[in-house]
Amino acid sequence: MDPKALAFLAAGLGAGMSVIGAGVGIGKLAASALESAGRQPEASGKLQTMMIIAAALIEGVALFAEVISLLLAIK
Amino acid sequence: MSNLSEVKTQQNVGIAQAQSSNLQITQTKSVNLKDTTQSHSEAKQEEGNVISDILQEHLLDHHSYNFFNVFHIDLPVILYDKQLYLYPSMKSMMAEGTFTEIHHQIVRKDTQQPPKLDMSITALVMFQWLSILLLLFAFITSAKKYKKQPKTAPKGLQNMLEVLVLYIRDEIVRPNISSKRLADVLSPYFVALFFFILVMNLFGLIPGGHSATGNLAVTAGLSIIAYFVINGSAIFHVGFSHWLKELTGGAPWGIWIIMIPIEILSMFTKPFALTIRLFANMTAGHVIIFSLLGLIFMLHTFAIVPISIGFSLFIYTLELLVAFIQAYVFTILTAVFVGLTTAEHSLEH
């Protein structure tokens, strides 16, 4: 197969699979944060802050993968 | 076998068609540009180019600013290559003849090498300065109001800024940085960081605007400042020897050989992650909006218009949210990192 086509294939697959990982991660995070906010509504402000920090960290890893995929697709 | 040969002949036909269409393109281009009988593939290719041109125009940095072809601003080009070269615009640089532009890159004419330093005032620098001016205006006018009438309740712009500034101080900086003195010293930095990133993000959502945070150099600059703030405040607050001791992670000396490289690496990965996060978030939204609008030109049908307009409106409002969230995330993560490096570990032992 043409190496360029393989690179595009890898870029698409990489982007998609990293999104699956990030989606599962942020979904689980939000689910457990909501559960704890339901149990302890007075702590929801603090939970929200911690949730956003954790979501940003998960998203950061996914974005690394996206940038690598983007580089594969452009180069 | 027959299937295989069929596929092969189909492929051959496809290749031949592609070649012939390529030939047609070159012929039509070379023979007569006014010819109205353009081949379909050429029109399609040109539209694809138009979309990618618009995308590049929007996402990349330029030496001029173009507002929907209504007005055009030439921005100065400042180069350093053994001596300082100053040009009022790209055109005058080309006319002077020492440098030329090849594939959107400035190179020396004689050696074909890029100059050592390119310190030009580009479009993104212009937008950064615009956001600085906007913030200076907003904060100076509201600060004047506080001086003039310290006892009256804030109104309008002053009220909005007070809410946000107090939120940053009370919800971002103070809970994360345990030392109250250090938190108060660093509060102005965090307020400036939040508003600067926020305004730069929002500029990208105004028609004709560019978001400077969608450029790696800008976010890397912000992260380098954050790196110095994180480590500088640790050194000033807990002392240099304690800061060095933190590099061992508080582990017994037997595993220092693993801990020290990890800690040094994490010192650099934190700002690196901040850089990539902000850059990728701001770029991704713009690319998605352009891809959705590009569908209309790719598919040649009106049926797709409501779908792509609807989705791009949705993404646009999401981008509005992301602009705030990313400014918030950058600020709070910097605050968390400062808090981690300056934390008192006396309670742990």
Side-chain angles (χ1 to χ4, degrees), chain A residues 49 52-53 56-57 59 63-64, chain B residues 276-277 280-281 328-329 332:
Chain A
T49 315
I52 287 175
I53 292 172
L57 292 176
E59 189 198 46
L63 286 173
F64 284 149
Chain B
I276 299 291
R277 181 175 302 116
N281 266 299
Y328 172 74
V329 161
I332 199 168

Side-chain angles (χ1 to χ4, degrees), chain B residues 263-281:
Chain B
E263 287 287 328
I264 288 173
L265 209 64
S266 85
M267 217 161 76
F268 291 100
T269 48
K270 282 170 190 165
F272 184 70
L274 285 178
T275 312
I276 299 291
R277 181 175 302 116
L278 187 56
F279 159 73
N281 266 299

Side-chain angles (χ1 to χ4, degrees), chain B residues 146-189:
Chain B
Y146 277 114
K147 268 190 183 157
K148 222 186 263 172
Q149 308 159 311
K151 292 280 160 70
T152 53
K155 257 194 327 191
L157 182 69
Q158 188 192 4
N159 202 358
M160 189 190 90
L161 289 179
E162 184 177 312
V163 169
L164 286 169
V165 169
L166 280 182
Y167 180 79
I168 292 163
R169 194 193 68 184
D170 293 338
E171 302 290 326
I172 295 181
V173 183
R174 281 190 178 165
N176 286 310
I177 300 173
S178 49
S179 152
K180 195 176 171 296
R181 196 173 58 87
L182 186 67
D184 284 349
V185 168
L186 287 179
S187 276
Y189 164 69

Side-chain angles (χ1 to χ4, degrees), chain B residues 81-333:
Chain B
D81 195 27
K82 285 168 196 155
Q83 76 175 82
L84 202 64
Y85 294 90
L86 286 165
Y87 304 106
S89 73
M90 205 72 185
K91 266 181 215 147
S92 61
M93 187 197 82
M94 303 281 251
E96 200 263 346
T98 318
F99 294 96
T100 184
E101 192 187 21
I102 298 172
H103 299 305
H104 295 287
Q105 221 181 4
I106 295 173
V107 291
R108 262 193 105 91
K109 223 169 199 174
D110 43 356
T111 57
Q112 301 286 320
Q113 292 293 315
K116 278 204 180 97
L117 255 177
D118 185 354
M119 297 181 288
S120 314
I121 316 291
T122 53
L124 292 185
V125 177
M126 192 182 86
F127 273 97
Q128 285 183 65
W129 286 357
L130 268 180
S131 44
I132 291 170
L133 283 179
L134 200 74
L135 284 176
L136 274 178
F137 169 75
F139 275 95
I140 287 173
T141 47
S142 46
K144 267 185 191 158
K145 267 187 200 161
Y146 277 114
K147 268 190 183 157
K148 222 186 263 172
Q149 308 159 311
K151 292 280 160 70
T152 53
K155 257 194 327 191
L157 182 69
Q158 188 192 4
N159 202 358
M160 189 190 90
L161 289 179
E162 184 177 312
V163 169
L164 286 169
V165 169
L166 280 182
Y167 180 79
I168 292 163
R169 194 193 68 184
D170 293 338
E171 302 290 326
I172 295 181
V173 183
R174 281 190 178 165
N176 286 310
I177 300 173
S178 49
S179 152
K180 195 176 171 296
R181 196 173 58 87
L182 186 67
D184 284 349
V185 168
L186 287 179
S187 276
Y189 164 69
F190 286 110
V191 171
L193 190 66
F194 177 80
F195 280 102
F196 189 41
I197 295 174
L198 178 66
V199 172
M200 281 197 290
N201 287 350
L202 291 178
F203 257 121
L205 297 176
I206 299 171
H210 297 274
S211 61
T213 39
N215 187 303
L216 262 179
V218 176
T219 54
L222 289 168
S223 301
I224 288 167
I225 297 169
Y227 172 82
F228 282 115
V229 167
I230 291 164
N231 289 295
S233 59
I235 289 168
F236 277 111
H237 188 69
V238 297
F240 188 67
S241 59
H242 196 275
W243 178 74
L244 276 183
K245 224 166 99 188
E246 280 290 294
L247 287 185
T248 64
W253 63 269
I255 52 169
W256 280 10
I257 196 161
I258 309 167
M259 285 309 285
I260 291 173
I262 289 174
E263 287 287 328
I264 288 173
L265 209 64
S266 85
M267 217 161 76
F268 291 100
T269 48
K270 282 170 190 165
F272 184 70
L274 285 178
T275 312
I276 299 291
R277 181 175 302 116
L278 187 56
F279 159 73
N281 266 299
M282 294 326 292
T283 311
H286 293 260
V287 173
I288 291 169
I289 289 175
F290 276 110
S291 316
L292 284 170
L293 291 180
L295 278 181
I296 300 169
F297 300 97
M298 293 281 190
L299 298 178
H300 286 279
T301 165
F302 282 110
I304 197 82
V305 171
I307 299 168
S308 67
I309 295 285
F311 270 105
S312 56
L313 258 177
F314 167 70
I315 297 288
Y316 186 88
T317 42
L318 200 71
E319 272 292 285
L320 213 61
L321 188 70
V322 166
F324 277 90
I325 287 180
Q326 288 310 314
Y328 172 74
V329 161
F330 198 103
T331 318
I332 199 168
L333 282 180

